[in-house]
Amino acid sequence: MTIEVISSTTVKITLTELDMLDYDINYERLDRRNPETKRLLIELLEAVKEEKNIDLCSEKLYVEAFPQNDGGCLLYISVLSEKQKTKAELYTEIVCETDDVQSLISLCCTLYKNFSHLIRESELYFDKKHYRLIINTFPKTENKTLSIIGEYACPSGKGEITGAFTREHFDVLIESDAVKKISEFFNP
């Protein structure tokens, strides 16, 4: 099973044939009145909440299902209301870039020492010569974070689009807790 976040109100879930067998259901039996379908949706919503920090459980949902050639199923689950139930809305995503590894290390050490409690998540990416650090922090602390970033790196942007661009076009070096891992490695 793979879960992709399309937006803050829509997820795409790909189930393989084995996933369908685990849930004891097939595409033809998917129906909102079917108990197996209800169990499948409840478990999928719990997985979305746990893996992607999106809580769709308390909203009215629109579910689209499409059969896959391999016996699996593709599901799109969307919230019908405008209300967004994500932890992501509590955070802002800041992307910064540097081509100097020492500046990157200094940035991570400074951020971790002074603001580790404000950083929800961080990731590190690299292309042929640039390092990109993605930091998730509280919107209210964004200016403090940006002022520290400005001392060591260039802010490349903020928000989901810049982060998604980086994830797509750069190679991942550290997938999670990059600021902490770099800081602890260079300042044990």
Side-chain angles (χ1 to χ4, degrees):
M1 169 175 51
T2 58
I3 301 171
E4 288 180 57
V5 177
I6 304 298
S7 74
S8 58
T9 58
T10 304
V11 293
K12 173 182 154 184
I13 301 174
T14 306
L15 298 171
T16 65
E17 183 178 19
L18 289 175
D19 294 327
M20 299 292 280
L21 290 172
D22 285 344
Y23 288 107
D24 193 30
I25 198 159
N26 60 34
Y27 176 78
E28 291 77 27
R29 290 195 346 238
L30 287 176
D31 180 82
R32 67 180 175 166
R33 292 177 197 93
N34 181 329
E36 287 84 13
T37 302
K38 289 179 181 180
R39 183 177 62 88
L40 168 71
L41 286 174
I42 289 168
E43 290 184 25
L44 292 177
L45 291 173
E46 288 174 2
V48 167
K49 184 177 181 179
E50 184 177 309
E51 291 180 30
K52 302 298 182 180
N53 294 322
I54 298 176
D55 184 4
L56 303 173
C57 296
S58 61
E59 299 291 335
K60 289 187 178 186
L61 300 175
Y62 178 70
V63 179
E64 293 178 285
F66 301 95
Q68 299 287 85
N69 292 335
D70 64 358
C73 183
L74 182 64
L75 295 170
Y76 285 91
I77 303 174
S78 301
V79 173
L80 287 177
S81 73
E82 293 298 314
K83 205 175 190 185
Q84 297 180 354
K85 291 286 186 182
T86 67
K87 288 185 182 178
E89 68 191 17
L90 299 175
Y91 300 95
T92 186
E93 196 165 75
I94 300 171
V95 180
C96 62
E97 183 175 301
T98 183
D99 58 359
D100 178 38
V101 72
Q102 190 55 50
S103 294
L104 174 68
I105 294 167
S106 297
L107 171 61
C108 290
C109 290
T110 303
L111 283 172
Y112 189 70
K113 178 182 176 189
N114 297 310
F115 299 110
S116 62
H117 61 289
L118 301 176
I119 296 173
R120 173 184 172 240
E121 185 57 72
S122 57
E123 307 162 47
L124 181 63
Y125 293 84
F126 183 72
D127 70 358
K128 293 177 179 155
K129 60 181 179 175
H130 299 99
Y131 294 94
R132 277 214 176 167
L133 185 64
I134 300 175
I135 302 166
N136 284 299
T137 187
F138 296 102
K140 290 182 179 181
T141 62
E142 181 180 327
N143 290 336
K144 285 182 185 179
T145 307
L146 284 169
S147 69
I148 300 246
I149 288 170
E151 293 180 34
Y152 302 99
C154 296
S156 299
K158 61 181 185 175
E160 293 177 15
I161 294 173
T162 307
F165 176 85
T166 300
R167 289 179 189 98
E168 184 174 340
H169 296 285
F170 283 65
D171 296 319
V172 65
L173 294 178
I174 303 174
E175 200 167 5
S176 67
D177 291 328
V179 168
K180 178 182 179 183
K181 288 174 182 173
I182 291 170
S183 179
E184 287 179 347
F185 184 80
F186 288 99
N187 284 325

